[in-house]
Amino acid sequence: MKKLICLFVAAAMVVSFAGCSNNKKSSSGSKNSNVTLKVLTHWTNLTKSDGSGWLDKFADKFEKETGAKVKFEAITDYATEVKTRLSSGNYGDVLDIPTGVATSDLPSFFAKIGNSNDDDLKDYYYTYVDGIKNSDGSYTVYGISYGLSIVGAVYNKAAFKKAGIDKFPTTLDGLYDACAKLKAAGIVPVAINFKDKWPLSSAFDAIPLFASHDGNWQNTVYKTTDLFSADKPYGVSLSILNKLVSNKWVEPDLTTTNWEQSKSDLGTGKVGMMFLGSWAVPQMAAAATNPDDIGFAPIPTDNTGKLYTYASQDYMMGIAKNTKYYDLARKYLMEFTASDFAGTQGFAPIIKGQESSDKVIKDFMATGVTVIMGEPGETGEEGSNMTKIGNEAGIDFWGGMYLQDVAIASQQGKFDQVVKELNKRWNEAKTTCGF
């Protein structure tokens, strides 16, 4: 992928929600009274049997506007189940597009939403992700998202205050100093959730994306030799992990860490911080003694004082190819993605210029952080080359197992050895893959 570096300034992100939805004509009122749109969702916590969930309330508004009812099917093992159901034709009218659907297969399962340069799509980020590139450089769009997840440190302000830390640090040395103070105050500085793997990966596979300070990095990273060396973005990330683990600034027993428990521990101040996406902020606030204690800040990766982060789309949403109600399904999709859903669930707006209603996100943006956004490469295949090399090398990027190896090596004082071994495997696989 090619990346575009965007400086987000909260004060400039101003657009009304109404102005973001320019939908195709859709029938309304009594004509739609017998219509029920079926929406598949992974948001199992946002639809309730008593109709009190956020999604339920949005559906009520949509019904009042159009006359059509909305029925949600909330699925726990969403990606696995829905990907299987695509071939059966039984996947509703609107749905979160499951991961792993090949770009070439999008037209087989999803209806065209429009073109990326259409008036009502041109301001959406990441329309290329589930899109097919056209000869003019635009994309035929099959999926759009509802929000951007931003990488940062979710932290407990009360725990920091107890440790004598007035504000979140803006340099790497400052971060390490904060960890030492938290530990001295009897607080686990950073929960890395070693056992569950995915939170570990969500942190230390994400840090390189913004530690590079280069919007084009992920397009060219597959060409890199010695990927994990200290002067490379991945080396920066692994060095931070090593520093945290070797100084015992993480959970005391890595083999028994638990994601659900970690949320409670951060919420009550037993843990100082976790490195996660902004989506985690509402969950931490819900588990907190005082929700206002939960803050969100950029993660410093050097001592310049300049802050960076990476923003990626959450699930993309699409329209089922076999829907009988295309106009209504598209109207639902456009109104949902332009709604305040992002602001209530810890995401930044997916639409350029739209202001977040979330104070935590606003405060994060107010730090002057540079947010790196992804854009496609010339062929659209560049981003997959790193995965190909990783698969050949047995390095599970975004899987967490190789990061567990790094953490264990850090405990044993063998960090340099594990980095040397990772570089060797990467370099050999790179050659094997022809890069």
Side-chain angles (χ1 to χ4, degrees):
M1 291 183 197
K2 188 182 292 181
K3 299 234 174 30
L4 174 67
I5 298 181
C6 302
L7 182 62
F8 278 61
V9 181
M13 298 169 66
V14 187
V15 145
S16 69
F17 290 141
C20 297
S21 182
N22 179 19
N23 305 308
K24 291 187 177 181
K25 180 174 67 178
S26 179
S27 301
S28 60
S30 59
K31 186 176 180 180
N32 295 323
S33 60
N34 293 322
V35 174
T36 299
L37 285 179
K38 188 173 184 180
V39 178
L40 306 191
T41 180
H42 72 285
W43 292 102
T44 57
N45 60 321
L46 298 181
T47 178
K48 309 289 185 182
S49 59
D50 63 359
S52 64
W54 196 99
L55 293 177
D56 307 313
K57 293 175 182 177
F58 180 84
D60 289 343
K61 292 179 183 178
F62 187 78
E63 182 177 356
K64 289 176 182 177
E65 178 187 358
T66 65
K69 296 179 176 62
V70 178
K71 180 181 179 182
F72 295 105
E73 183 179 352
I75 302 170
T76 301
D77 189 9
Y78 188 89
T80 301
E81 180 174 334
V82 176
K83 190 174 180 182
T84 301
R85 286 171 58 171
L86 290 179
S87 58
S88 73
N90 177 26
Y91 51 97
D93 299 291
V94 180
L95 65 154
D96 302 329
I97 298 176
T99 55
V101 177
T103 299
S104 58
D105 289 338
L106 290 169
S108 299
F109 301 114
F110 300 98
K112 173 183 173 180
I113 299 172
N115 191 284
S116 60
N117 56 18
D118 288 346
D119 286 344
D120 60 352
L121 290 174
K122 65 183 182 182
D123 289 331
Y124 276 78
Y125 292 113
Y126 289 113
T127 50
Y128 70 85
V129 171
D130 281 326
I132 294 178
K133 194 171 186 178
N134 302 315
S135 58
D136 64 355
S138 66
Y139 285 78
T140 299
V141 179
Y142 292 92
I144 54 177
S145 189
Y146 41 76
L148 296 169
S149 181
I150 301 171
V151 182
V154 186
Y155 70 103
N156 188 302
K157 299 174 186 176
F160 270 57
K161 185 176 181 180
K162 180 181 176 182
I165 308 165
D166 295 328
K167 61 181 181 179
F168 200 88
T170 58
T171 65
L172 186 55
D173 284 347
L175 179 67
Y176 294 153
D177 182 60
C179 287
K181 290 179 179 178
L182 287 163
K183 185 174 177 64
I187 299 164
V188 174
V190 184
I192 61 172
N193 277 288
F194 174 96
K195 185 179 178 182
D196 287 309
K197 289 186 295 189
W198 68 262
L200 183 66
S201 177
S202 294
F204 296 98
D205 275 317
I207 287 174
L209 294 171
F210 59 90
S212 66
H213 302 176
D214 178 7
N216 195 43
W217 176 75
Q218 199 170 346
N219 277 333
T220 59
V221 65
Y222 70 94
K223 301 176 183 179
T224 303
T225 300
D226 294 336
L227 180 70
F228 302 96
S229 295
D231 60 339
K232 309 286 174 59
Y234 256 97
V236 171
S237 182
L238 297 194
S239 293
I240 293 173
L241 176 58
N242 172 56
K243 186 80 170 181
L244 297 176
V245 174
S246 62
N247 281 283
K248 299 183 179 180
W249 291 336
V250 297
E251 302 96 322
D253 184 355
L254 295 182
T255 62
T256 60
T257 60
N258 178 275
W259 164 246
E260 292 298 331
Q261 183 60 46
S262 72
K263 290 193 290 185
S264 175
D265 289 346
L266 188 138
T268 56
K270 293 179 181 178
V271 164
M273 63 186 124
M274 287 193 269
F275 301 157
L276 293 164
S278 54
W279 57 266
V281 175
Q283 294 190 33
M284 301 302 169
T289 306
N290 176 7
D292 291 337
D293 284 342
I294 304 303
F296 188 57
I299 304 167
T301 59
D302 57 34
N303 290 316
T304 64
K306 296 179 181 179
L307 299 170
Y308 294 81
T309 189
Y310 184 81
S312 59
Q313 81 288 347
D314 202 60
Y315 262 104
M316 307 294 280
M317 295 178 68
I319 303 167
K321 184 176 182 179
N322 59 2
T323 181
K324 297 177 181 178
Y325 311 113
Y326 174 84
D327 285 351
L328 278 168
R330 190 181 191 278
K331 184 175 181 65
Y332 176 91
L333 177 64
M334 297 304 292
E335 292 192 2
F336 183 82
T337 57
S339 74
D340 193 32
F341 181 78
T344 64
Q345 302 304 318
F347 297 105
I350 193 69
I351 299 171
K352 300 170 188 175
Q354 193 176 55
E355 183 181 8
S356 176
S357 63
D358 186 341
K359 184 179 183 302
V360 173
I361 295 293
K362 287 182 177 180
D363 290 345
F364 184 95
M365 296 299 186
T367 64
V369 61
T370 297
V371 182
I372 300 178
M373 303 286 296
E375 284 201 346
E378 292 300 320
T379 68
E381 297 298 321
E382 290 91 345
S384 66
N385 290 337
M386 179 180 176
T387 302
K388 291 175 183 176
I389 298 172
N391 289 342
E392 176 67 26
I395 301 171
D396 63 331
F397 295 112
W398 297 97
M401 290 182 66
Y402 87 96
L403 291 169
Q404 287 182 324
D405 291 341
V406 172
I408 292 170
S410 296
Q411 284 184 321
Q412 299 172 344
K414 298 179 179 179
F415 176 70
D416 290 342
Q417 291 95 313
V418 77
V419 168
K420 184 177 180 180
E421 174 62 21
L422 285 170
N423 276 333
K424 180 176 181 292
R425 285 157 55 187
W426 168 268
N427 293 341
E428 290 175 351
K430 177 173 170 288
T431 300
T432 301
C433 292
F435 302 127

